[in-house]
Amino acid sequence: MRYISILIITLLLPLLCHNLQFSVPPTDLTARLGSAPSFSCLIKQTPDLTQPFTVEWLFNGNVLDLVPHSGAARRVSSLDTSSRKSTLSLTDVIWSDSGLYSCQLSVANGTSLTSDSARLEIATLADTFPT
């Protein structure tokens, strides 16, 4: 009987957690060197969000280090839990900031969901001053 319970939980868990969704994922951006672009994602209200949740931002698939050292102070993340909107603000962007950004939602019950990636491109001088 114990194995049947584990099997049922294993089979039903994906069905119970499929409700996590982003109503607005981050979108692609083009920014000039030194500018301050920002990404945001809006989490859709679902039954799974009755539990506490967190949002982390990923850069090229890795969790962004937002601790202020090694230039990380140029990246600030905020989460408005009432509107379910998370924003990642970058300041003074440099070439190495170009890449793929996504937000990862984690709920206290252990489920998580990662948004589609949005690309940040840094504009070249030719893009900034077209002929």
Side-chain angles (χ1 to χ4, degrees):
M1 187 64 156
R2 180 174 158 210
Y3 295 109
I4 292 173
S5 298
I6 292 171
L7 179 62
I8 290 171
I9 290 171
T10 303
L11 292 174
L12 288 178
L13 191 58
L15 297 175
L16 295 173
C17 301
H18 82 285
N19 288 330
L20 293 178
Q21 296 176 16
F22 293 98
S23 52
V24 180
T27 57
D28 294 346
L29 297 172
T30 300
R32 291 185 305 238
L33 282 174
S35 67
S38 63
F39 291 99
S40 62
C41 64
L42 186 61
I43 302 152
K44 185 174 182 179
Q45 180 65 50
T46 66
D48 287 345
L49 283 182
T50 58
Q51 301 181 37
F53 64 92
T54 59
V55 174
E56 292 182 296
W57 283 89
L58 308 179
F59 174 62
N60 292 331
N62 299 308
V63 175
L64 266 173
D65 181 11
L66 298 173
V67 178
H69 65 79
S70 306
R74 299 181 308 102
R75 301 175 178 134
V76 178
S77 174
S78 64
L79 175 62
D80 180 347
T81 54
S82 62
S83 67
R84 300 169 321 280
K85 181 179 180 179
S86 179
T87 302
L88 173 67
S89 300
L90 308 174
T91 58
D92 196 23
V93 293
I94 57 177
W95 292 109
S96 61
D97 290 323
S98 63
L100 299 175
Y101 290 82
S102 54
C103 57
Q104 184 174 49
L105 169 66
S106 298
V107 183
N109 67 7
T111 60
S112 65
L113 176 70
T114 302
S115 70
D116 290 338
S117 295
R119 179 174 301 281
L120 174 62
E121 292 187 23
I122 305 300
T124 64
L125 287 176
D127 295 330
T128 306
F129 302 105
T131 55

